[in-house]
Each structure stands twice: as structure tokens, then as C-alpha cells.
Amino acid sequence: MTAAHPGSSGPSLREWATGVTVFAAIMLMMAGILDIMRGIAEIADDDIFVTTRNYVFAFDLTAWGWIHLALGVLAFVVSFGLFVAATWARVTGVCIAGLVILANFLSLPYYPAGSIVMIAAAGFIVWALCVMRKDDAAVPAGSSAGG
């Protein structure tokens, strides 16, 4: 029986890192799907959105639709790279999640509840992608290296 100490890089740390990466991949995929659906709804000029007068960042609802659709497609595609723990996917995922936070903040008056949920989800994605170090997930969880 082997015990993993808090300072060691035992199997529990690798399993935790793998779990966080999978969490980030699934959350980014879900955020992408939700942003795609929101973008389609905005492009279709759905009646669930509020029109706000005198808003500083006022775009046409169709413009917000294209922005959310593009971010959603990018997030969905990048999430597949996270399933294989690719470094490019982690960096791109953080950038896309940051853009999702920004886009949802700027379109907050149009869909407040949905925007707040997406901001929170993207915040968790950024956290999950930034908390893991590359060497934590370098060795597969089933191997005996390092322990």
C-alpha cells in the first residue's frame, strides 16, 4: 500500500489533474453549445431578449448573435483538444473563455440571467485550465512512474 503525500506527485495528483482537465473540457463544450444556441436565437431575433435603450455597448441583436455563435463554435472545437490534454487547447481555451466572459458582460442587458450563468461557467473554465500544471498530466494515471 502506497500513500501519496501532499508534497509528492503521486497517482492522486495525476488523477486530480486529469479530472480537472476533463471537467474543463466538458464545461467548455457545454459553454460552446449554449453560446451556439444563444447565437442562433439572437440571429433569429427571438422574443426572449430584452431591448435596452441608451446602452453604451449597444449592438444590433444580430451582431451579438454572430459574436456568440462564433465564440460557441470555437469553444466547442477547442474542447476536443482538451480531452487529449493538448497545451495549445489549454491556452486557447483560457483565451476563448475570457472572450466569452467579456461578450456576456457586454451583452448583459439583453439576456441577464443567461449572461450571468455563462460568466460563472467561463470563470470555472479559466480556473480549471489554469490550475493544472503540464507535468501533472504528463504521465498517464495508470502508469507506475513517479511512485
Side-chain angles (χ1 to χ4, degrees), residues 6 36 94 139:
I36 288 170
V94 169
V139 180

Side-chain angles (χ1 to χ4, degrees):
M1 182 161 104
T2 61
H5 298 287
S8 70
S9 61
S12 64
L13 182 59
R14 285 190 300 271
E15 291 168 3
W16 181 82
T18 302
V20 168
T21 303
V22 171
F23 168 79
I26 291 171
M27 288 294 291
L28 191 63
M29 183 180 287
M30 288 175 29
I33 291 170
L34 289 173
D35 240 9
I36 288 170
M37 291 190 307
R38 179 177 175 172
I40 291 171
E42 288 174 335
I43 291 169
D45 202 25
D46 201 357
D47 293 334
I48 63 170
F49 298 100
V50 178
T51 55
T52 305
R53 297 182 341 170
N54 301 327
Y55 181 53
V56 175
F57 303 108
F59 285 144
D60 181 29
L61 197 56
T62 305
W64 280 119
W66 285 109
I67 291 169
H68 286 287
L69 183 66
L71 285 174
V73 169
L74 286 172
F76 187 77
V77 169
V78 169
S79 69
F80 288 106
L82 290 174
F83 282 114
V84 294
T87 303
W88 67 266
R90 287 180 55 208
V91 172
T92 308
V94 169
C95 292
I96 290 173
L99 289 174
V100 166
I101 290 172
L102 182 64
N104 280 285
F105 176 75
L106 294 176
S107 65
L108 194 61
Y110 299 106
Y111 191 48
S115 293
I116 291 170
V117 168
M118 288 299 293
I119 289 169
F124 280 119
I125 293 166
V126 170
W127 171 81
L129 292 175
C130 290
V131 74
M132 187 188 73
R133 296 180 310 221
K134 181 171 175 50
D135 56 337
D136 290 344
V139 180
S143 73
S144 61

